[in-house]
Amino acid sequence: MNSLIRRVNKNSRTSLMKFLLISILIVSIVYFVYITGGTKMVFVQLLYVPIILSALFWGALVGLFVGMVCGILTGPCLPLDVANGIMQSPINWISRMLIFSFIGFITGYMIDRINKLNAERQERNLKSPFYEELPNAQKLLHDIEQRIELKESFKLISIKFTNLHEIEKYVDNKLVFDIVKSIAKKLTHSCGRKAIYSYEKDELIVLACNNCLEGYEDSIKKVLDHYFSCPVSMQGYKIRVSLKVGIYVYQGEEKSPIEIYNKARIAYEQGEVKKSGVYYYDVNLENKRREIHNITGALLESIDRNELFVMYQPKIDLANNKISGVEALVRWKRNGTDLIGPNIFIPIAEEIGFINKISEFVFDSVTTQAQIWKSKGMDIKCSINTSVNEFIDDNFTAWARDIITSKNLNRSDFEFEITERAIAYNDKKLIEKMYFLKELGYQISIDDFGSGYNSFKSLSEIPFDKLKIDKYFIDRIYKTEIAEMVRHFIEYAHTFDKIVIAEGVETEEQLNILKELKCDEIQGYYYSKPLLPEDLEEFYIKFNQDRN
Ligand code: C2E
Ligand code: MG
Ligand code: MG
């Protein structure tokens, strides 16, 4: 508001300055004409300067008016010859007044025309090349800039059509324009025509004032539901449109309009790749993205630079008090110094499609290590963590089939761990691959069991040998209801003759409760942290000595 007042004040100050300039010019010229001898002198022509200037400043009508004023001021009151007191004939000064007015008017008219043409061209430049009735990206950025200058708070809503490319490719190009236009029209009803911009062919933006967003959001959600939940009939086709909406609330911290626009875009990109929905900008997710970009390049080089290595954490069989096997856990020493945990880089590797290379590296390292242990007479079974991508990749499963034979090892000494979450999300192909690997002789275990995706009912359809209870339950096993749940898991798995392992056991108390609950195996810091191969050998020897 203050800056609006400032702007109005500034404009009226400029107009006042112009008015004073013109007035002073006219008065000085008229006076100059008088003292130089009257209107017979050429100096009277100097009045064209204020006439043309006022036409430039205020247009045709003001030009005409100033021309008339100048004509009258140099008319009946101003002599033709001051020294000899000769007055002008009316025809003389009236003709001059008409010429002054004509010049003032015609100059103003031409300037008005030029300004109008310029404004039209500018307006055309601010229209979307795709949807002519909507303003474009340039206009959006300009309007955002204005709101920043006026220190107004606002929200930017980006509506992205995520499957237009496919519709265009497989159905019809024109249909794409019709879909976007129809959605823009629907939004226009609730948000107003001026609030909707077309940024790209597949992206609409709503620039909303902060306090009127409630209604906007509801109408956007309505549009979204209408277009996504049921197919839209258009030109005889039934189309399913996929939309993602990102909302960024401007709180005055960034300066550039493009930065603000990017935040709204980041907001919708936060949504899972194919899911329609409304997403608010979250700074933590943006930081995570930055971190991903930061380490992605380095991760791709990690194998060639020998920065990955595998550690082994022992698992203890309680009934026989012996080491039942080890879990292979990959580590990344970036630049040879910074240790980055798998919880950070494995999800990134999955996202960028590098996970299969890491898995091959891990599997290769583990099988090579198993050969070494075998040659030393150490009987150690190894489990390897896997992600869905590699499980369903035919190349990986074929490779997993051949590598064991080529290294002269037994498949039954190796186990693939796959998380319950991955199974809950996935389908037939994954289950088929699990059967395939199991038939080849590998063991399969369900990792992080119970971690929020309890797929108990489908467990009977899944081929597996072991159930690994998530650390979440072990941390809370002192609570009766959690202990009861764990008992339930264990009894359920035992009815299928499956083995149950507790992950993340750190204390003797946890161990004793788990023993009571008839858990089969234990893995956790209570026995050992993940170890390098040489340390694992030492642990193995010592454990077996203590046992005997
Ligand atoms: P996970 O498979 O559930 O592995 C168990 C994690 O718990 C490991 O963390 C292990 O170091 C940690 N842990 C074990 N016992 C304890 C304990 O008593 N206390 C505590 N606080 N932690 C314990 P890590 O090594 O950081 O691995 C994290 C996750 O990264 C793994 O969870 C697994 O999902 C994934 N991961 C590790 N290596 C690989 C790999 O080679 N391939 C794939 N795809 N994923 C891997
Ligand atoms: Mg695991
Ligand atoms: Mg686990």
Side-chain angles (χ1 to χ4, degrees), residues 313 327 330-331 342-343 385 447-448 471 503-504 506 524-525 530:
Q313 187 178 32
E327 177 175 8
V330 69
R331 298 285 178 267
N343 277 334
N385 290 287
D447 204 353
D448 303 344
K471 185 173 181 301
E503 284 188 291
E506 292 179 347
Y525 294 176

Side-chain angles (χ1 to χ4, degrees), residues 327-329 383-386 417-419 445 447-448 468 503 523:
E327 177 175 8
L329 294 159
S383 69
I384 297 155
N385 290 287
T386 40
E417 294 190 8
I418 179 136
T419 60
S445 63
D447 204 353
D448 303 344
K468 297 189 79 176
E503 284 188 291
Q523 180 184 347

Side-chain angles (χ1 to χ4, degrees), residues 412-465:
S412 59
D413 289 341
F414 295 88
E415 178 183 315
F416 288 111
E417 294 190 8
I418 179 136
T419 60
E420 186 204 12
R421 193 167 138 221
I423 298 169
Y425 266 135
N426 273 278
D427 52 4
K428 259 176 71 191
K429 180 144 191 195
L430 178 74
I431 310 292
E432 273 170 27
K433 283 293 160 103
M434 287 171 81
Y435 272 113
F436 173 76
L437 289 169
K438 212 167 138 43
E439 273 158 25
L440 284 178
Y442 288 108
Q443 302 270 299
I444 290 181
S445 63
I446 300 181
D447 204 353
D448 303 344
F449 185 78
S451 56
Y453 298 85
N454 201 331
S455 52
F456 248 169
K457 43 183 181 324
S458 55
L459 270 189
S460 55
E461 295 150 26
I462 296 167
F464 73 98
D465 303 281

